[in-house]
Amino acid sequence: MSIPIVEIVNVSKTYSTAAGDFPALKNINLTVNKGEFLGVVGKSGAGKSTLLNMINGVDELTSGEVLVHSDGRRVSVHHLNEDEKALWRGRTMGVVYQSFQLLPMLTLVENITLPMDLAGNFKPRESREKAMELLRLVEIEEHAEKLPALISGGQQQRVAIARALANDPDILVADEPTGSLDSVTADHIFDVFSRLVAERGKTIVMVTHDMGLKSRFTRCLTLVDGELQNEEKMETKTKGRRKS
Ligand code: ADP
Ligand code: MG
C-alpha cells in the first residue's frame, strides 16, 4: 500500500536576478511514498538542489504547496514560520547539503551532537555515544575529534550524512551525497541508505547528476530545465548492486 509522506503540489520557483527572472522549477507535482528510495537525476542546473530546498523548506517557493506527513501530523512546510520550520525540520527531516555545511569551529562529533542537543532527544552522554555510532556507520570515527578543515571533502561528506541521521528522522533528503566520494565509499553509503529504507522504513529523496546511479533507487525521476520528465519504476532492479 502506498502511503504519501511528501506531497509536492504545483510547485514553482522563480529566482529574481539582476538579469531578470529565472524559472528554476516549473509546476512540479510529485508524491513521495513512505519507504521509497527516490532518486531525482538531472544535469547541473536542472533544478535539483532547488527542488530539495522546497521539500525541506530551506528556501521559499514562488507558488504551490509542500505537504509532509510525519509523527501523525500533516504539515504544510511553507506555512510554518522560521522557528517552527527549524524545529519541525530538526525532528522530521535529515538534510545532506551539497556543500556539507559543517560548522567549522566544532569537531566532527560535536557537529553531530549539536542537532541532537537542539532537538532535546538525548542526554549529553547518550548523544555523544549515538554520534560516535553514526560516525562508525559512515566509517569515519577515528577522526571524531578533528575539526572539519582537517579532513578531506569526501570525509566531510560522510560526516554530513551522519549528521543528517542524528535525530533518526523519518525522511532523509540528500543533495549529491556521493558526489565527493570514491566509488567504494559511494557504494558503502548507498548500502547504508538502502538498508535505512529496507530495514528501518525510512524514506529517502536523493538528487544526483550521476545517471549511472539510476538503477539503484526504488524509483527514479529525471529533472530537465526545472520540469519532471518520464517516470521509471525500478522495483525489479533494487537488489542489483553496481560492480565497479
Ligand atoms: P542543480 O542542483 O540541478 O545543479 P540548482 O537547483 O542549483 O540546479 O539551480 C537551478 C537553476 O537555478 C540554475 O540555472 C541556477 O543557476 C539557478 N539558481 C540557483 N540558485 C539561484 C539563486 N539563488 N539565484 C539565482 N539563480 C539561482
Ligand atoms: Mg545542485
Side-chain angles (χ1 to χ4, degrees), residues 49 98 175-176:
S49 296
Q98 189 163 11
D175 197 346
E176 313 254 9

Side-chain angles (χ1 to χ4, degrees), residues 90 93-104 106-116 131 134-135 138 140 148 156-169 172:
M93 202 169 272
V95 182
V96 184
Y97 296 95
Q98 189 163 11
S99 50
F100 320 137
Q101 311 270 23
L102 300 177
L103 292 175
L106 298 183
T107 64
L108 306 188
V109 68
E110 287 167 349
N111 262 278
I112 299 172
T113 53
L114 180 71
M116 291 174 174
L134 289 170
L135 287 172
V138 296
I140 197 102
Q156 290 185 40
Q157 184 148 48
R158 282 187 267 164
V159 179
I161 290 165
R163 181 187 55 188
L165 300 172
N167 288 312
D168 197 24
L172 186 68

